[in-house]
Amino acid sequence: QVQFVESGGGLVQPGGSLRLSCAASGSIYSFAAMYWYRQAPGKLRELVATITSGGSTYYADSVKDRFTISRDSAKNTMYLQLNSLKPEDTAVYYCNARSFGTGTYPWGQGTQVTVSS
């Protein structure tokens, strides 16, 4: 039932910025937390940022002070602002969520972020 659609990726030069969006088919109020992940070719999927139902945010050390996670519950949309991008940020970015129960949700197709000069 719940689906996520990521968008906003693209090709950007080092030091540039992007804003990623995650549109959820269900209400954000159904989620205990929402997450942004990324996965580079040949690498494991990495948790990048978290926002809880209470609005608390958490970031991986590699993106701390550069990325900002936010949400608009009225629009059922989560965002990830990417600033000061580096080539190592190149990956497919995915969003997902945790329910208040034990259920899990399927991965979307993700959105490609490529940082290159």
Side-chain angles (χ1 to χ4, degrees):
Q1 293 180 325
V2 175
Q3 292 181 305
F4 303 102
V5 179
E6 301 93 342
S7 62
L11 175 63
V12 64
Q13 295 190 155
S17 298
L18 287 170
R19 190 192 193 206
L20 308 184
S21 297
C22 171
S25 61
S27 174
I28 286 180
Y29 292 113
S30 299
F31 307 136
M34 297 188 72
Y35 312 97
W36 281 102
Y37 289 81
R38 67 185 182 187
Q39 187 169 32
K43 304 293 184 180
L44 296 175
R45 184 176 284 113
E46 172 191 22
L47 177 62
V48 173
T50 300
I51 185 165
T52 71
S53 61
S56 298
T57 58
Y58 305 91
Y59 300 92
D61 288 342
S62 59
V63 307
K64 193 178 303 179
D65 300 322
R66 298 189 299 117
F67 293 6
T68 303
I69 189 171
S70 62
R71 67 185 178 192
D72 186 337
S73 296
K75 298 180 179 179
N76 289 331
T77 301
M78 179 178 63
Y79 306 96
L80 186 67
Q81 179 68 43
L82 317 179
N83 295 327
S84 302
L85 283 163
K86 305 174 181 179
E88 52 263 43
D89 295 319
T90 296
V92 178
Y93 284 71
Y94 302 90
C95 64
N96 212 283
R98 177 178 175 82
S99 72
F100 285 98
T102 59
T104 58
Y105 304 107
W107 296 102
Q109 61 181 325
T111 185
Q112 176 73 50
V113 172
T114 302
V115 184
S116 176
S117 59

